[in-house]
Amino acid sequence: MWSRRRFLGSLAATPVVGDLVGARRDLKTASDAVVAGTRGRDYFKELGVRPFINAAGTYTAMTASLMSPDVMDAINYASTRYVMLDELHDRVGERIAMLVRAEAAMVTCGAASALTLGTAGVLTGTDRQKIGDLPNLASLSMKSEVIIQRAHRFGYDRALRNCGVRLVEIESPEDLDRAVNGQTAMMLFYNNNNKEGRIQDQEFVALGKKHGIPTLNDAAADVPPVENLWKYTAMGFDLVAFSGGKGIRGPQSAGLLLGRKPLIAAARLNGSPNGNAIGRGMKVNKEEMVGMLAAVELFVSKDHAKDGLEYDRRAEEIRRSAASVPGIKAEIFVPEVANHVPHVRVTWDAASKPLKAAAVVRAMQDGEPSVAIRSEGESLVVGVWMMQPGEEKIVARRLRQELQKQA
């Protein structure tokens, strides 16, 4: 199954044959920035690193999203002067908390860092000795267990295990009731798998309240819609983690931890610039803090309905182009949870059309211009929201050519 943090496409060496003149023409009019987006030195060209059109999504391995000029202005502004880091942390956190209707907030170095720091804050509170002892939970008799649904286990729960806790898997509400004991520190919810577990979000929160156990929701890729920035704290989750460099389009190395004031204060003490803390290496610089603030301000104030119409238009152009190939079916769909924006799914009858999805992904990546799409089994998925304006024309042409050539 595809998840928000996996990219299953692979690389190959199959050249693309087709209308390169047209592709180059569209590339120039639509997005010269993909190849050489800044004035002056072309660093990527110097380094031999090949840019591509992102028709997949906000995946970390693909450098997630592109920041807006306003966010870059904020980053450049912060780079020109000194401030006290904790003071900036305080003020940025207060402003972001107001924008997202949370009791408190902090900028972290990504959603994974938010998970680690949130867990650490739950374990230690503001006890400096406990903070210094993590992940040695036994030294000061700290609690050591975090309850999670078996269907919610995922690779990034390592961010919690870094704090020394043991994950206790359950499936039903009755299992959860039995699992709670004196060592239970927290309950973790993976929002992407909300419908896969037997306990969904609201019931999970209610069970946490029933037992007096803090709940943390990993909602890293779950904006848009913008309302999700306050939905889960309003629902009652004590802590919520978001990625800053995906839909919000802040710095890729930034994230958000939202929640109750005492827990955010404790999470702050477990992070940089505090020296003897498990999160000392999870440094957030002043540029990222101010850039993240600018990104949140833009995100909560933008016209999301207008964006949605543009994504629909891009998706329809790609769907129509792919479906024009005999034997190809193409449909537009919107994932229910993460990456909740229009995508195009391309399928075919394998018995009558010997296409291999992985081969198409490789050819798109290796062609000119390079285009990154992804595969789900023997189907192709194209995401449109990370493209630059006009790039949907290039993707539509390139995809149609590859489907025709490899059929």
Side-chain angles (χ1 to χ4, degrees), residues 4-5 115 119 146-154 156-157 160 167-168 170-171 176 186-208 214-220 222 231-232 235-242 337:
R4 58 180 165 78
R5 289 169 173 167
L115 296 180
T119 303
V146 173
I147 293 174
I148 185 172
Q149 295 181 75
R150 183 167 291 116
H152 284 224
R153 289 301 302 268
F154 62 117
Y156 278 73
D157 61 35
L160 282 76
L167 297 183
V168 178
I170 57 94
E171 292 188 352
L176 192 151
M186 192 175 73
M187 294 161 48
L188 176 66
F189 192 83
Y190 179 33
N191 207 63
N192 186 72
N193 286 14
N194 186 24
K195 296 298 178 65
E196 296 183 28
R198 290 174 60 181
I199 310 173
Q200 294 187 11
D201 46 18
Q202 291 184 323
E203 185 178 11
F204 194 82
V205 167
L207 288 167
T215 50
L216 190 162
N217 188 351
D218 177 11
D222 296 338
K231 174 182 177 180
Y232 303 116
M235 190 180 291
F237 280 98
D238 298 284
L239 291 168
V240 183
F242 287 101
V337 186

Side-chain angles (χ1 to χ4, degrees), residues 261-297:
K261 279 186 178 180
L263 295 179
I264 297 296
R268 282 277 305 279
L269 290 176
N270 278 277
S272 179
N274 300 288
N276 188 22
I278 197 166
R280 178 62 178 88
M282 302 175 187
K283 184 182 296 184
V284 182
N285 62 40
K286 66 184 188 299
E287 292 82 10
E288 290 168 323
M289 287 187 203
V290 177
M292 196 66 235
L293 172 59
V296 174
E297 288 176 337

